[in-house]
Amino acid sequence: MSVLRSLIKDGGPIAFIIRGTHGGIGPWYGILNPSTPAWMTLGASLVLSLIGVVAIDTASGDGSGLGFLAFRQVLYVGVGVSAAAVAVVPHHRLIGRLALPAMIACVALLVFLLVPFVPDSLVTPRKGARAWIDLGVADFQPAELTKIAFVVVVAMYLRYSRAHRRFVGLVIPGLIAAVPAALITLQPDLGTASLFAPSLFAMLVAAGARLRHLSIIVIAAAAVLPASYLVMKPHQQARIRGLVEQIQGNDENADSINYQSFVAQRLVAAGGVWGTGEDKSRAIVAYNHLPEAHNDMVFAVITLRWGLIGGVVTVAAVGAWIAGALLTAAVSRDPFGRLVVVGLSGFIAAQTVINIGMTIGLLPIIGITLPFVSYGGSSMLASWLMTGLVVNVGIRRAEPPFRDSFEYGGGDD
């Protein structure tokens, strides 16, 4: 007992770990605070990861045991949880100091993917996209970590700024988003690139940007959006035309460009309210040959096996993740931490809406994964790092200087 007391007394190593350091990083008070809403986000992450493993096994396994892809997904979850635990340890202000170098590294990797003389053995194109780096044991998608680096950089810029209250002041945050989004679009990965705008919008609103300025930008973007069709790749244009045909009730291309969408919708409908159960679901998925059933279309597998109830539970779990994160932001007095959490929530929300929307035929299929649920190591790693950052902010009390809110008077133009 005397040894333990010496370890936890003032100046002892355990006290140092719990209380943290000063010198600009700040104390780590509240590290064991059980009242933070961030635990809701953590619990939702675990639920979604479990749903994903079972759904992936349903889509790819034979029922004799945990399938190969499901087993790898379990490993990815383990890596993700470990990464989240590491992300909780340093104070988020220290993470903010590393934001710019991390963003530069991510942009460099995005440029590396586009270099034409890089061998295909290192950057293997998939469906025409150069988005992954082959690490041997697994593929790494730099765009996933770029999303996190982007949020942290923008949060660092906005945390004490007033420039974004002016219309011209929105240029710098827009450029920060435009650089990675443009590089990801060139891969081409239009789906991931489209996620940066909702996250930036959420952060600007949370930081007190004027809604009329943001409204002008949204209206202008909507006005020029049809023109983007002209610069899309042929397969991307085909996806847009396919969605229009579905809306018109035209099933002429049900066996070609709309095959994946029609099969996914058929599986969603087949699940009914309560689902078809494990064995029948495996047989239906195999018989219908749903492309990317374990990845982009995993929500169709969930609703097939567990029906409408399974779909609602999945959406509710994502809602709990977002609610826990936003509540964490609401109670945080640290402007940087608050903006980080809001930005990450924007990515999770936008990604979920797009993934489910394209699964049920409301949006074109643009290759978006369902966070924590779809198969993939990079996506799982990024999703769990987001959870780790939310918990990081939630368990710590803010230190001065902090702003009670991002509300401003009416004096700025």
Side-chain angles (χ1 to χ4, degrees), residues 301-343:
V301 178
I302 292 173
T303 53
L304 173 66
R305 177 164 179 175
W306 294 294
L308 176 63
I309 302 301
V312 169
V313 169
T314 303
V315 172
V318 176
W321 195 102
I322 297 171
L326 293 182
L327 287 172
T328 298
V331 300
S332 174
R333 301 184 67 188
D334 183 88
F336 168 68
R338 190 185 313 159
L339 290 175
V340 166
V341 172
V342 170

Side-chain angles (χ1 to χ4, degrees), residues 5-378:
R5 282 193 296 271
S6 68
L7 290 174
I8 64 175
K9 69 180 182 180
D10 290 345
I14 292 181
F16 177 81
I17 293 174
I18 294 177
R19 297 180 183 178
T21 62
H22 295 273
I25 297 176
W28 295 355
Y29 295 135
I31 197 168
L32 297 179
N33 179 15
S35 62
T36 172
W39 300 128
M40 184 189 307
T41 296
L42 176 62
S45 302
L46 292 170
V47 171
L48 288 167
S49 297
L50 177 60
I51 292 174
V53 169
V54 178
I56 290 168
D57 185 59
T58 302
S60 60
D62 59 8
S64 61
L66 196 64
F68 175 73
L69 293 183
F71 176 74
R72 286 180 66 92
Q73 186 75 348
V74 171
L75 297 181
Y76 293 151
V77 172
V79 172
V81 171
S82 301
V86 172
V88 172
V89 175
H91 197 290
H92 50 269
R93 289 190 178 180
L94 175 59
I95 295 175
R97 295 178 182 181
L98 302 176
L100 186 57
M103 187 65 176
I104 292 173
C106 287
V107 169
L109 289 174
L110 293 177
V111 172
F112 174 77
L113 289 170
L114 300 175
V115 176
F117 54 79
V118 174
D120 289 350
S121 59
L122 186 57
V123 178
T124 305
R126 295 182 183 176
K127 299 180 180 179
R130 296 173 61 87
W132 293 268
I133 299 175
D134 188 353
L135 300 180
V137 296
D139 291 334
F140 169 62
Q141 188 175 9
E144 291 293 335
L145 293 187
T146 303
K147 295 187 295 187
I148 299 175
F150 159 77
V151 166
V152 179
V153 166
V154 173
M156 285 292 289
Y157 173 76
L158 294 176
R159 69 193 192 283
Y160 297 124
S161 173
R162 298 178 68 93
H164 60 281
R165 292 282 293 171
R166 300 186 300 273
F167 188 80
V168 70
L170 298 176
V171 171
I172 293 180
L175 290 176
I176 297 174
V179 171
L183 292 172
I184 294 170
T185 300
L186 292 174
Q187 293 178 356
D189 183 359
L190 187 59
T192 302
S194 66
L195 300 174
F196 285 80
S199 176
L200 177 61
F201 186 88
M203 296 178 75
L204 288 171
V205 171
R210 293 185 177 277
L211 293 181
R212 66 170 180 268
H213 295 163
L214 298 178
S215 299
I216 292 172
I217 295 175
V218 170
I219 293 172
V224 302
L225 187 60
S228 64
Y229 179 84
L230 301 176
V231 297
M232 288 182 181
K233 300 289 185 180
H235 72 278
Q236 294 171 337
Q237 294 178 339
R239 291 293 189 185
I240 300 296
R241 292 195 302 270
L243 177 63
V244 173
E245 290 177 356
Q246 290 185 61
I247 295 174
Q248 294 174 339
N250 184 355
D251 59 356
E252 181 178 338
N253 291 315
D255 293 327
S256 55
I257 189 61
N258 282 334
Y259 174 79
Q260 186 179 23
S261 181
F262 272 73
V263 173
Q265 294 175 58
R266 188 159 60 240
L267 265 58
V268 170
V273 176
W274 301 104
T276 60
E278 178 182 355
D279 295 336
K280 191 173 181 180
S281 295
R282 293 182 190 276
I284 293 175
V285 172
Y287 177 79
N288 284 272
H289 304 287
L290 174 62
E292 302 296 331
H294 62 294
N295 198 344
D296 298 347
M297 293 293 133
V298 71
F299 187 73
V301 178
I302 292 173
T303 53
L304 173 66
R305 177 164 179 175
W306 294 294
L308 176 63
I309 302 301
V312 169
V313 169
T314 303
V315 172
V318 176
W321 195 102
I322 297 171
L326 293 182
L327 287 172
T328 298
V331 300
S332 174
R333 301 184 67 188
D334 183 88
F336 168 68
R338 190 185 313 159
L339 290 175
V340 166
V341 172
V342 170
L344 297 177
S345 300
F347 270 113
I348 294 293
Q351 198 167 332
T352 301
V353 169
I354 294 175
N355 177 272
I356 295 178
M358 69 185 195
T359 301
I360 61 178
L362 296 179
L363 294 174
I365 297 176
I366 55 176
I368 292 291
T369 58
L370 187 59
F372 299 98
V373 182
S374 294
Y375 176 81
S378 298

